[in-house]
Amino acid sequence: MLAILMFVLAYLLGSISSAILVSRLFKLQDPRTHGSNNPGATNVYRLGGAFPAVLVLVFDILKGTIPVWGAYFLQLEPLILGVVAVGACLGHMYPVFFNFKGGKAVATAFGALLPIGLSLAGLLIATWLIIVAVSRYSSLAALITVLLAPLYTWLIKPLYTFPVVFITVLIIFRHRTNIVRLFTGEEPKVGAKNAPTDKNKPT
């Protein structure tokens, strides 16, 4: 029963779209209908600059960290911690408060992995930065980082590997349009002012 409650709370917290709220606060264009149509930190940066984007990034990370830390202190099993993390990511991807139109949950997933340890966080950040520096593709960096996350987890704290696989599958699924654009050469690089929009819904 406690596991179900934590999952629901994680989903509801994840459903608070900081990208939309921050954009309203700074009177920016709606990130769901402008830029890449994706309500996330990268698109907010495109629409409003660094400060609003940092606010979005920090809040999105906390959306993953807070419920997982809570579940950890309640001494729930590693598998349940993974379920709680998935709940937070699903909330970000399909927010009940914003017509189920959310973002890709990369920052929220990162926040959910933080309780595993700072060494894992360091590896994830280093991987993302290296891939971005080499390729200049934020989405490619996110995909490679999330693919390596289970391996890093297995090396650091093996008992959390299977829950991290849950998150990896979610993130890859949510990036399916980006994967197509990467293969077709249509994915924008970091710093590009124009971004392709997803025809049907943000991913």
Side-chain angles (χ1 to χ4, degrees):
M1 193 67 182
L2 182 58
I4 295 174
L5 176 62
M6 289 302 298
F7 175 84
V8 172
L9 290 175
Y11 172 78
L12 293 176
L13 180 61
S15 290
I16 302 174
S17 179
S18 59
I20 297 173
L21 296 177
V22 168
S23 294
R24 290 176 180 175
L25 178 65
F26 286 87
K27 302 187 186 313
L28 305 177
Q29 295 172 308
D30 191 330
R32 294 171 296 180
T33 56
H34 293 82
S36 64
N37 290 353
N38 179 62
T42 300
N43 199 29
V44 171
Y45 175 76
R46 183 178 291 112
L47 298 173
F51 185 62
V54 168
L55 292 179
V56 172
L57 179 65
V58 170
F59 187 77
D60 284 352
I61 290 174
L62 290 176
K63 289 195 303 185
T65 302
I66 291 172
V68 174
W69 263 121
Y72 176 80
F73 282 116
L74 289 172
Q75 298 184 340
L76 297 180
E77 297 294 324
L79 183 61
I80 302 303
L81 293 182
V83 171
V84 172
V86 168
C89 292
L90 285 174
H92 182 87
M93 294 174 178
Y94 307 102
V96 65
F97 305 126
F98 296 95
N99 300 316
F100 301 100
K101 295 180 179 180
K104 296 182 175 69
V106 173
T108 301
F110 174 75
L113 297 179
L114 278 179
I116 294 177
L118 293 179
S119 55
L120 175 61
L123 285 171
L124 295 174
I125 292 171
T127 301
W128 190 88
L129 288 174
I130 291 170
I131 301 303
V132 166
V134 172
S135 71
R136 293 185 59 215
Y137 287 114
S138 177
S139 58
L140 179 63
L143 286 165
I144 292 177
T145 301
V146 78
L147 281 170
L148 289 173
L151 174 61
Y152 292 158
T153 304
W154 179 74
L155 293 172
I156 297 169
K157 287 190 179 178
L159 70 164
Y160 293 108
T161 302
F162 191 59
V164 172
V165 171
F166 287 175
I167 299 174
T168 296
V169 172
L170 269 180
I171 300 299
I172 292 174
F173 172 76
R174 200 60 170 155
H175 277 78
R176 60 195 184 279
T177 56
N178 299 87
I179 294 172
V180 172
R181 290 198 295 260
L182 284 167
F183 276 108
T184 59
E186 298 175 353
E187 183 75 351
K189 293 187 176 182
V190 173
K193 294 186 177 181
N194 295 320
T197 58
D198 297 319
K199 296 180 179 178
N200 298 319
K201 62 181 181 179
T203 54

